[in-house]
Structure formats: C-alpha cells, structure tokens
Amino acid sequence: MRAAIVGATGYGGIELIRLLHNHPEIESMTVFSSSQEGKQMAESFPHVTGIVELTLEDIDAKKLKQHDVVFLSTPPGVSAELSTKLNGQTRIIDLSGDLRLKHADTYRSWYKRESAPDTLLQEAVYGLTEWHREEVTAAVLLSNPGCYATTVLSGILPLIKEEAADAGSLIIDAKSGTTGAGRSPSAMTHFSEMNDNLKIYKVNEHKHTPEIEQELARFSKKEEPVTFSPHLVPMTRGIMATMYVPLARGWNREDLEELFEQCYRDSPFIRIRKDGALPFTKEVYGTNYCDIGFTVDERTGRATIVSVTDNLMKGASGQAVQNMNLMFGLPETSGLDYIPMYP
Amino acid sequence: MRAAIVGATGYGGIELIRLLHNHPEIESMTVFSSSQEGKQMAESFPHVTGIVELTLEDIDAKKLKQHDVVFLSTPPGVSAELSTKLNGQTRIIDLSGDLRLKHADTYRSWYKRESAPDTLLQEAVYGLTEWHREEVTAAVLLSNPGCYATTVLSGILPLIKEEAADAGSLIIDAKSGTTGAGRSPSAMTHFSEMNDNLKIYKVNEHKHTPEIEQELARFSKKEEPVTFSPHLVPMTRGIMATMYVPLARGWNREDLEELFEQCYRDSPFIRIRKDGALPFTKEVYGTNYCDIGFTVDERTGRATIVSVTDNLMKGASGQAVQNMNLMFGLPETSGLDYIPMYP
Amino acid sequence: MRAAIVGATGYGGIELIRLLHNHPEIESMTVFSSSQEGKQMAESFPHVTGIVELTLEDIDAKKLKQHDVVFLSTPPGVSAELSTKLNGQTRIIDLSGDLRLKHADTYRSWYKRESAPDTLLQEAVYGLTEWHREEVTAAVLLSNPGCYATTVLSGILPLIKEEAADAGSLIIDAKSGTTGAGRSPSAMTHFSEMNDNLKIYKVNEHKHTPEIEQELARFSKKEEPVTFSPHLVPMTRGIMATMYVPLARGWNREDLEELFEQCYRDSPFIRIRKDGALPFTKEVYGTNYCDIGFTVDERTGRATIVSVTDNLMKGASGQAVQNMNLMFGLPETSGLDYIPMYP
Amino acid sequence: MRAAIVGATGYGGIELIRLLHNHPEIESMTVFSSSQEGKQMAESFPHVTGIVELTLEDIDAKKLKQHDVVFLSTPPGVSAELSTKLNGQTRIIDLSGDLRLKHADTYRSWYKRESAPDTLLQEAVYGLTEWHREEVTAAVLLSNPGCYATTVLSGILPLIKEEAADAGSLIIDAKSGTTGAGRSPSAMTHFSEMNDNLKIYKVNEHKHTPEIEQELARFSKKEEPVTFSPHLVPMTRGIMATMYVPLARGWNREDLEELFEQCYRDSPFIRIRKDGALPFTKEVYGTNYCDIGFTVDERTGRATIVSVTDNLMKGASGQAVQNMNLMFGLPETSGLDYIPMYP
C-alpha cells in the first residue's frame, strides 16, 4: 500500500509517520506540506534522522490520487477543499473537523466558516471505530473523530445506548496535554506560562461539543446539549475525560461493569478497569488504547466515568490507522501493537 | 507576639515559617517536630540558610502554652490530642482535619479513627474566614479548613446561600498540585510516575467531602451529598475546582456577577473575574488569593464555576495566618500582602 | 521615590513590579510599554488584579525624566537609545545587554548590531553588586549584569582574584529555566517541545560570554577566552552554573571555604554551602540569593563550583533593585527580604 | 527463544518486557521478582493490562536455567550471587554494576561492598556494543554498561582512541531524567521536590566514574581520573552528557566529523549530527539511539561533545536487547526499530 500524508509537519502528521513507517502493509509514504516543500523531514525533525528519508512535497491533487490512501492532517477549510477534489478517486482519511458534523449549519455556527459541500458531509463516515465498524469497513471517505470526542464518547456511549443514563444530564470535565493545541507556538502554550500551571478554556464553546452531541443523539432519543469544560494540563500527551451522570433507576456498579465488558468484548483497544481502579493518562502513553474506569456513588445515585486516551494516538493518528486497517481489510490492530511507554 | 509551629517540617509548617518570619507582628517563632528535634531548620531545609536560625524542639505541652498562638500542622490524631491538652491555655489554630467535622460519627466513618472529644468539636470555630469573620475574631480554638474545601466553598457558597443553586445537585471536579499530598515520598507522587501524567483518586471518598457537605448545609435547607472527584496534576502548587450546578429559575450571568461582587465586596483575598475570564492556578501562586470565575450556559441552564487557590496558602498556611490576624485584632491582610509569583 | 519601568510587560518588567510594589521606599510606579500602551496591567496579567492598578503608558523621554529612577527592561538597541536620551537627567538602571561591554567592537561582533555611544559604555557602572559596591553607590547610569554572567561570576571571581585558578582554564556548563528566553512564544520554548526535554544551545556563542570574559579580566592578569555552554531545562525559573577549574598548587577545599566565607562575609545575598552540600535551583526560588557550593577532587586537582540563582531575581530584577538600593543610600536588602518559595 | 527477566518490577525490567514482548524472536518470557511473587504483572502495572499476562515468580536458579537467556535487573550483590550460580548454564545479561569493573578492589572502594568472584569479573564481557561487537557476539556472561557510562563513552571514545584528546583532561557534565534513580520513592525524587528544580549530586563520587575510567584506559595509554558531575533534571527519561576536552594539535571540526562518521559507519544506533546541530534528549525518547553532536571553539582549542540517550533504552534495556541480538546471531536492530516518540 502507498500512503500520502498531507500536513506532515504537524503533530498529527508526524505521529502518522511514526506509525506507518513500521506498519507491515505500508510499502511507501509520501509526505506533503504547504509550507516546507523541498525540505528533508530530518531537517525539521532531527528525531527521524537516518530513519525517515523523505522530502516534503508541494500539495498537488494529481500526485495525491496516485496513493491508495490519503491522510489529511490539515487545517479547517483545507481538508474540505482537498476532500472535494479527491473524493472518489482514492480513499481519504480526514483528521480535521471539516467532515465530522452532518449539518452544515452546525458547522458554520461552531467553526465560524463555510462548511464542506453537503453531499460530502453526508457521505463521510464518522470513524469512531468501535461504534461504526461496518460503515468504516466500507468507507471511501472517512472523517476521523476529534480527540476529546473520542475519549468522551467511548466512555459514555454504552450508558446512553442502553438508557442507563440520559444525554441531557451529562457533564464532561475534560483535561488535555498540550499537544492537543498543536505545534504553533502561542502565549497559551509557552513553556514559562504553562509549566506548573493548570488552565481552563473555551467552556461550552469548544468545537468538539456539537460533535459529541451529534453522536450521542444517534443512540439516544433526541439531541440534547451537554456541559463540556476542557482544561489544559502541564503534560505533553494524554486526555482524561471525567464524566458525571445520574444513573437510571435500577442500575448499579455491577450492571455497568457487565455493560462495558459486553459492549467492548471484541474491541482490542478498549480496556475496562475492574473494581473501581481508575485509569491515569500515562497508562496509555504512545498507544491506541482507551482505558475506561467508573464508580457509582450510592449516596447521590451518580456514576463517575473516567476515560483516558493518548490524544495523538486513539485521539488522532492511532485511530486513523485503525480505521485504515478496516478500510483495507487488514487486522484492526495491524501496526498498532505497542505497549504503553512506562514511565 | 510569640508563635509556636508544631509539625514544622511538613509543607504546611515550612510555609507558616515563610509567612510568619516576615509578619510585622510576630516577634519570635518556636518550631517543634516529633521526628527531628535538635536539628537546625537549615540542615533539613537549605533554602532557609542564613534566614531562619531555629532549632527544632521536642513537642512539649508546657513549652507550647508559653506562646500566644500555637499552630498545629500535625497528622490526624496528634492534633486532637494536643488540642485537648492545650485548649483554653493559649490560642490554637489547627491545620489538620481533626476539628473540622461537628459530628463525631461522621469523623469516625470518613477518617477511620476515633474523633476528638465532642466538646472540642463543638467549640472549634471553622475558619473559612470570609464566611465566619465574627466567630473567627472571637475564637480561641480554630479549625483551619481543608484545601479542597476552601477552594470549593469559596466558589459555591454565594449561590447556595442565595438559593441560586441547590447543594444536592453540585458536581465538583477538583484538581490539585502534588504538595497537597504532603512531604512523605510515595509511589503516587514519585516524580517518574507523576511527571507528564494526570491521576484521579478517592472519587467520592476523599475526607474533604463531609466537610464540604457540612458547610453547605449551614446555608442551605438540608444536608445533601455532593459528587467530588479529586485529581492530581503534575504541578507543585495550586488547586482548581471546576463546579457544575443547574441555576435556579430566573438567574443569569449578570445576576451571578452581582451576587459574587456583593458577597465578597469586603473580602480582600477573594477576586472575582469579569466577563467569563476564568482563572488559572498560577495566577494566585504563593499568595492567599482565591480567584473565582464563572460562565452560564444558556443551552443547558447550568453554571460552571471555577475557583483557584494555592493549596499551601489560602488552602492551608495563608488562611491560618489570615485567621490569626482576626483572632488578634490585626488587619486581615497583615503579613499576607504578596503579589503572585509570575511566572 | 518614584520609579519608572520601561518594558513593563516582559518577564523582567513584571518581576520589577512585584518587587517595587512592596518596596518600602517606592511611593509610586509608572509603567511603560511600546506595544500595549493604554492597557491596564491586569488585562494582560490577571495575577495583579486588584493589586497593581496601573495603565501602560507610551514611552516618552519627557515623562521618564520626572522619575527618580528609570528601569529599562527593553530589547537591545532600545536601551541604548533611551539611555542616550536620558543620561544625566535621572538615574538609569538598564537590564539589557547594551551597556555591559566596555568595547564597542566586542559589542558589535557578539550582538551583531551597532553599539551605544562609547562615552556611555565608559560611564556605565557594571552592577555586579558584591564586586562593585562603591561604584554602584555612586552610579547614575547602571548596567545590570546578565543572568548567566551574575551566576557564573559570583561563583568564580573569588578564585580568580586570589589566583586560586586561572580564567583561561575555566569551563562553564550552565543550565537555565525557560523564563531566561523571555515571554515571546517560540518553537524552542513551546511547551510540547520543551516539556520532558533537555536542550543545549549557542555553545560558545552566547552573548554573555564576552561579558564574563571582560569581568574575569578585571581580576586576572589578562583577558582569556572561556568555554561556556548554556542549556535549557524544563523548569520556569532558576540557573545553575557548574564550573570546572584546575586549582592552583597549594589550594585545597578548606582554603576555598575560607576564601568564599571571607570574600562574601558582608554580602547578605550570597550564601556559601558547607561540607560539599551543593545547592539546587529551587532553594533560591523567587529571591535575590545566590547560593554557592563546591567540591575539590584530589584525584584530578580540579574544583567543581556550583552557583545557583533565580534568573529573574539575582539574575535580573532582584539585582536591579539591590543596585537601586545602593544608588539611593538605602539598606542593600530593602524590599528584597523574601524567603525562597518552598517547594 | 525463551527469556527470563529477574527484577521485572523495576524500571529496567518493565522496559525489557516492553521490548521483548514485541521482539520477533522471543517466544516466551518468564518474569521473576523477590518481592511480588504470585502477583499478576497487570496488578502492579495497569499499563500492560490485556497485553502482558504473566505472573511474577519467585527467583529460583533451577527455573532460570531453563531459559535461553536470563536478564538480571537486580540490585548490587544480588546480581553477583545469581551470576555465580548460573554462569555457564545459560546466557546471562546483567544490567547491574556487579560485573562491570575488572578489579575487585575498585569495585569494593566505589560500591562499598564485596565484589563478585574475580573469575566472574574477568569472564564478563563489557557490553558497550559498538566497541566490543566480537566479544559480545561470543559472550556467555555479559555485563551491560551503566547509563551514564554508555552515553559518555559513545561520545568520547573515538577521540581517545585516535589520540585527538587526552582522557586525563576530560570533564563530563552529565544530566539525567529521574528514572535513572529507580522506582523506589525518595525525598530526592519526590515530585514536589523535583518539579521545577535542578539538582546536582555525587560529584566525582558516582559509581559510573571508575567504569568510565576503566573503559577509557583500554583505548588510551594509561588510566587517568576524569571529572564527572551528574545532575538530576525534572524529566522522566533521557541523559545528556556535555563533555569538554582540549583537542590535540592539528585537529579541527571537520576532522572530528570525519572521525565520528568513520567510527560509527556500521553502527545503526549511533547518529552523528552535522554542522554543529546539537542533539536534545527528547530526540531519542523511547529508542536505542545515541545521538552525538559537537562543536570546536577555535578561541580555546576545546571541543564540546554532546551525547544523548534514553537512559532506560540505550542506557539500559535497549542495549541489553541489542547485546542479546548479537549473542544469538540475530540482526543487531531486531526488536529495536522504533521511531522516537515525538513530542
């Protein structure tokens, strides 16, 4: 298989290179960048010196079509444009938010820009792998979920689907490492300002909010707004979503455990914690795992669900490769069988 | 004034020394320790070399009584014992949890040990300064609040008191730096395990839970259980409590702003953020401030309230000194007028 | 006294505000900025909300002259220009590198720009306080030393002056926190790139190199080149300079200890460690101390000297205030009597 | 191949498990521990849940012999004892310091304990792979080098061997992440004490000093003492050794570059940086690479050589697997072809 990576100099792109370089079915990669064409990867990224000997190429639709799969790790708008040009001529996995929302209006109001054409929005398969395996397997145009959305939905969808909880009562307190904010330097992520500090931002205004609401609505009776607070933690990788819901009558901890076990029985990347042992972000570092733990408080009747991922892996490039595997009939774990880096 | 610090080698004790050393009304300090008596402070703490020339003394009730104020920065049980011995013979400020809960039963069930005598529990004034100024001013035996409790209550009490929200619906997602876990090395706070990691622990089982519930009940109609999840963040100091409540009918953001401004008008250490600008932990670093911000989501009708403190200052030793100031008729800010360390 | 701070929005400027706000002899401060005039300090720096109620003003020589002391915390070139305009009309303390080098040629070759006028270079007093107290006391135009230079010179000058070591054999391995690189976001200091990482940069090319060499030459027989490697450590504040020199014949550890004790007997901010106990950066955090330790290896005849400072304090704004104190006949420690923040 | 890991619950052991689990030639692993026998790996290490399903076994020589290779990741003394028992009956790779020094006296004086039997010391092959490939290939008893020693020797041996520099003039300033200090909690590596801090320790007293001196002596004319200062940096993994030597007459930067290129031409894990671009620790994170850069200062005639490794990989378990590969006739890079984790 020949893979193209567009936007190879961002954190999502460089993580794709790490994964695809060792993927058993990838024969060759081509890397594209709008800003650094002509440069050797190792010039910008000394860590790949002597390993990845690729030159960044100018983004060009004709060249892209010659690949079996094209990963778009590009900014909003650029993905929409490239998807429109390439759709149907090669398989596309888009890591941006451009194709995640089904309603153009919702896109416009949260992203503050024009959306991709409606036909594209309808055609794109939302690649939360564990919940859409069949569609992903058949997909030609795949929209890879957001990092927060992946972490949140993996932890809460089982309850919503089985009516153990109501989407409208969901409160999500999410914490992310700084790579989620990308590779462009900013005051927010300047080391001197972020080290030994804890930040909160875009409360109820983050773009992943409508994505979460849309996907919850697929499994609940109606679309309802959720409460979503993202935080920035002084660490490089990792997301933890701590979620709060009142449990429906009759549900207890054992029921939840059984529900999760059943739901994810055939999902190699979802690990359910036993006995209230809650996961830490470092326990999935560098891998495609999503670890989920939970407790039920009998005093309040509320469940607290904790879901962790590596935001660059299951939250981005890892899940993209997982989706690619399904789209090409490969084993789901192909090229993703890493043990978390510890410590 | 002569001050005694018992448990001077813990983080609470050493922070008291930092504050009292420069306090205009403190003439002398004596430092006590059960494990390091006879040692010079500078031997264990090179950072005070040439500044604090004190020798650690063995804990002795007779010597303690000779001080105008005794700070107990001692483990559970030890505080109860010393308070019992010293009560009425000097002013006591207890930084442990031994005197915070009014009901011995509650203490026993959350602390898993025998409580202090009931008379002591009744007599001790709960030193959340802004909410009990008169009692604090008159106090002889003061129980200094927990770091989480201080941060949480400062942010939510105004709403509870004015019935803008219901205590029973409160969800608290709290995040702390590691000094909250004390100075004893442990696997949990080993640098290699904590760095670049985010942990969650004691969900709905933390000892500050009943303390929060008890204090909420003073201002609401009845005692109700809350949901409380503490997290450990890879930073040294700082607590952020992100709190979620449905707003009572008729309340909006402007109302909340007015409520907070009014409530804390005469409180020099509480700073209310305008316009939804939410506080970061570093913005109170090394000081006694508690900064509070909030947003209201019209879609869900929920308010998100964010309260930050330095856990060793307003969350412990800073508030202890603030209380001492009131107990001795000094200006509330005496010896506490620091600007946060930035960055 | 009325103080003006030019460049009040950089880390050096904001640290000056922290110090001067609580300085007993400073009656008022005025803050100047070329980029943010008209803004309230608290808008850019929420940590000073309710404490520092100043509006940033446009840089204007006439206004500056109306102050008793003007601190220039401005970029290279700007300081030279403002010093030229203001010289003789008020006392100036320049925190930039513009007036540190006595030879215009050296400035040009290391700073790659035109130097300040030669008369200014000659007139400016180099404010390494402990080594130039008399000149500082009489100074009208003061050049505040670089952070690396301060840390290095404080640790090595005693040996050079007493011929215990030869400047030409000096090897300096220096490590700094990221605030030394300033407040402008960059790839080098982007949190995701700097966290959990250790960097080395500008080996033998850093601008503090000629400054160190010039000052060593004042106390040795001739100007000799040194080896100087700066590193960037994932921490906010602090510099450690680890220095290596062969000891002259006849010198041993005890001699060194006596030398240091004697040399800094009357220097309240220099603390000499006993018994080979070497200092850590956090032990001077937030203060004007420079802590110095050393060991002598009998096998090699070399001394290892370790000097630590807080780069924003003794390495910049703290020493600037220390110099101001002398220039105005105040006690050297005035407004600087903080205990290091621990931990 | 069947591999045994003794001391599987330390950082070296757990890293071996990460590597061997995915190694193409390892059929099975058995894990041994003196303190946690009977426990599932995933109980102590949630990050391997669902991946490594092994139970810790009691250390037993008979069981150990049934493996093709035994890794000893055990404390000083224990390794010596186990090596003595097992020698000749299976292949041993010892990650402790017990077999690194050839002279029992030197061991005793630096390790402050009795050494392994002299015959064992003589027989053990020192596994700095690139410098002893033939011996390693033939080894039955292999002593894996220390993390500092590996990083230092890889960077300096080329110069010593070719007489471009003299071992006696070598000054080594080394900086390590905290995992080098092991998994046992201590005040030194307590998060609250280590975060935002930089420490120096055991100057000229670290156990890797005689190891470095011994190995330098193999390639120089005589054994000479070196100056070696280890530092502890607030990061999890990584070592940087910054080394200073006067260059012998006639040598310049180009010569050095050629020397390094030549020397390591056939060494897949050593990467030489061009043009003075110096390596950062994160650029080898999680991999077996050792990256080396250098500059020559014409003013002083000194070379500064910078060598970085991941202390748990090339500095310990990675090099152990590299050595295992050679000992069993496998490709040197087998099971080690990871791309550094970035960022």
Side-chain angles (χ1 to χ4, degrees), chain A residues 110 167-176 188 192-193 195-201 203-204 209 213 225-229 231 233-237 239-240 242 244-245 278-283 285 295-297 299-300 302 304 306 308 342-343, chain B residues 110 167-176 188 192-193 195-201 203-204 209 213 225-229 231 233-237 239-240 242 244-245 278-283 285 295-297 299-300 302 304 306 308 342-343:
Chain A
W110 287 84
S169 65
L170 178 60
I171 287 170
I172 306 159
D173 190 285
K175 300 96 177 165
S176 176
M188 185 77 169
S192 299
E193 307 274 333
N195 186 41
D196 222 22
N197 200 355
L198 176 62
K199 303 185 175 183
I200 180 168
Y201 68 109
V203 171
N204 297 322
T209 313
E213 289 169 359
V226 300
T227 291
F228 176 47
S229 303
H231 299 73
V233 174
M235 61 185 189
T236 306
R237 288 168 179 246
I239 284 181
M240 178 186 286
T242 314
Y244 304 94
V245 276
L278 302 176
F280 301 159
T281 56
K282 200 94 196 256
E283 291 163 0
Y285 208 86
T295 66
V296 174
D297 187 7
R299 303 189 320 143
T300 60
R302 290 186 198 116
T304 301
V306 182
V308 304
Y342 170 87
Chain B
W110 288 85
S169 64
L170 179 59
I171 287 169
I172 306 160
D173 190 285
K175 301 97 178 164
S176 177
M188 185 77 168
S192 300
E193 306 274 333
N195 186 42
D196 222 22
N197 200 356
L198 175 62
K199 302 186 174 182
I200 180 168
Y201 68 109
V203 171
N204 297 322
T209 313
E213 289 169 359
V226 301
T227 290
F228 176 46
S229 304
H231 299 73
V233 174
M235 61 185 189
T236 306
R237 288 168 179 247
I239 283 182
M240 178 184 287
T242 315
Y244 304 94
V245 276
L278 302 176
F280 302 159
T281 56
K282 201 94 196 256
E283 290 162 0
Y285 208 86
T295 65
V296 174
D297 187 7
R299 304 190 318 144
T300 60
R302 290 188 198 116
T304 301
V306 182
V308 305
Y342 171 87

Side-chain angles (χ1 to χ4, degrees), chain A residues 318-332:
Chain A
Q319 186 159 244
V321 171
Q322 184 184 3
N323 285 326
M324 178 195 82
N325 286 341
L326 290 190
M327 288 161 75
F328 286 85
L330 307 173
E332 192 169 330

Side-chain angles (χ1 to χ4, degrees), chain C residues 41-173:
Chain C
M41 280 303 292
E43 281 178 77
S44 298
F45 302 95
H47 74 284
V48 300
T49 302
I51 313 175
V52 178
E53 305 201 314
L54 297 171
T55 304
L56 288 157
E57 301 186 16
D58 199 17
I59 300 175
D60 175 274
K62 219 191 257 172
K63 282 194 280 181
L64 289 172
K65 287 175 200 171
Q66 294 157 12
H67 294 79
D68 299 298
V69 59
V70 174
F71 291 91
L72 299 177
S73 189
T74 37
V78 179
S79 276
E81 198 194 314
L82 282 170
S83 300
T84 308
K85 275 193 203 157
L86 296 171
N87 191 22
Q89 318 203 34
T90 178
R91 289 212 177 87
I92 298 171
I93 297 177
D94 178 25
L95 285 87
S96 87
D98 278 359
L99 306 176
R100 291 180 193 151
L101 302 179
K102 292 299 171 196
H103 299 294
D105 281 356
T106 315
Y107 182 91
R108 275 181 221 113
S109 88
W110 287 85
Y111 282 72
K112 316 285 180 208
R113 60 186 310 139
E114 191 43 60
S115 80
D118 197 59
T119 52
L120 236 59
L121 299 184
Q122 298 323 311
E123 193 186 329
V125 169
Y126 185 76
L128 187 67
T129 330
E130 287 74 14
W131 292 84
H132 303 286
R133 270 203 192 83
E134 285 187 30
E135 292 161 270
V136 169
T137 303
V140 170
L141 176 64
L142 188 130
S143 172
N144 212 55
C147 52
Y148 282 125
T150 294
T151 316
V152 164
L153 293 168
S154 300
I156 197 66
L157 274 183
L159 281 77
I160 300 303
K161 190 182 163 209
E162 295 303 320
E163 299 185 20
D166 173 48
S169 65
L170 179 60
I171 287 170
I172 306 160
D173 190 285

